[in-house]
PDB file of all heavy atoms in Angstrom:
ATOM      1  N   ALA K  53     100.683 113.685  -9.461  1.00  0.00           N
ATOM      2  CA  ALA K  53     100.419 112.684 -10.491  1.00  0.00           C
ATOM      3  C   ALA K  53     101.388 111.512 -10.314  1.00  0.00           C
ATOM      4  O   ALA K  53     102.591 111.728 -10.140  1.00  0.00           O
ATOM      5  CB  ALA K  53     100.573 113.297 -11.872  1.00  0.00           C
ATOM      6  N   ALA K  67      98.671 103.478  -4.246  1.00  0.00           N
ATOM      7  CA  ALA K  67      99.191 104.733  -3.707  1.00  0.00           C
ATOM      8  C   ALA K  67      98.441 105.893  -4.348  1.00  0.00           C
ATOM      9  O   ALA K  67      98.164 105.865  -5.554  1.00  0.00           O
ATOM     10  CB  ALA K  67     100.688 104.863  -3.967  1.00  0.00           C
ATOM     11  N   LEU K  77      99.363 105.148   1.187  1.00  0.00           N
ATOM     12  CA  LEU K  77      99.759 103.851   0.654  1.00  0.00           C
ATOM     13  C   LEU K  77      98.875 102.811   1.317  1.00  0.00           C
ATOM     14  O   LEU K  77      98.850 102.725   2.543  1.00  0.00           O
ATOM     15  CB  LEU K  77     101.230 103.569   0.947  1.00  0.00           C
ATOM     16  CG  LEU K  77     101.787 102.238   0.446  1.00  0.00           C
ATOM     17  CD1 LEU K  77     101.779 102.185  -1.079  1.00  0.00           C
ATOM     18  CD2 LEU K  77     103.201 101.997   0.976  1.00  0.00           C
ATOM     19  N   GLN K  80      95.846  95.933   0.558  1.00  0.00           N
ATOM     20  CA  GLN K  80      94.613  95.177   0.764  1.00  0.00           C
ATOM     21  C   GLN K  80      94.538  94.012  -0.213  1.00  0.00           C
ATOM     22  O   GLN K  80      94.458  94.239  -1.428  1.00  0.00           O
ATOM     23  CB  GLN K  80      93.396  96.094   0.578  1.00  0.00           C
ATOM     24  CG  GLN K  80      92.050  95.383   0.526  1.00  0.00           C
ATOM     25  CD  GLN K  80      91.688  94.640   1.792  1.00  0.00           C
ATOM     26  OE1 GLN K  80      92.152  94.987   2.875  1.00  0.00           O
ATOM     27  NE2 GLN K  80      90.877  93.610   1.685  1.00  0.00           N
ATOM     28  N   TYR K  90     108.041 101.109   6.038  1.00  0.00           N
ATOM     29  CA  TYR K  90     107.641 101.869   4.855  1.00  0.00           C
ATOM     30  C   TYR K  90     107.989 103.338   5.083  1.00  0.00           C
ATOM     31  O   TYR K  90     107.531 103.959   6.036  1.00  0.00           O
ATOM     32  CB  TYR K  90     106.147 101.695   4.591  1.00  0.00           C
ATOM     33  CG  TYR K  90     105.817 100.304   4.129  1.00  0.00           C
ATOM     34  CD1 TYR K  90     105.675  99.254   5.045  1.00  0.00           C
ATOM     35  CD2 TYR K  90     105.680 100.009   2.775  1.00  0.00           C
ATOM     36  CE1 TYR K  90     105.411  97.968   4.625  1.00  0.00           C
ATOM     37  CE2 TYR K  90     105.396  98.719   2.347  1.00  0.00           C
ATOM     38  CZ  TYR K  90     105.269  97.705   3.279  1.00  0.00           C
ATOM     39  OH  TYR K  90     105.013  96.428   2.851  1.00  0.00           O
ATOM     40  N   GLY K 110     109.126 106.781   9.017  1.00  0.00           N
ATOM     41  CA  GLY K 110     108.754 105.433   8.638  1.00  0.00           C
ATOM     42  C   GLY K 110     107.571 104.886   9.413  1.00  0.00           C
ATOM     43  O   GLY K 110     107.264 105.335  10.527  1.00  0.00           O
TER      44      GLY K 110
END
Side-chain angles (χ1 to χ4, degrees):
Chain K
L77 180 65
Q80 170 62 26
Y90 290 81

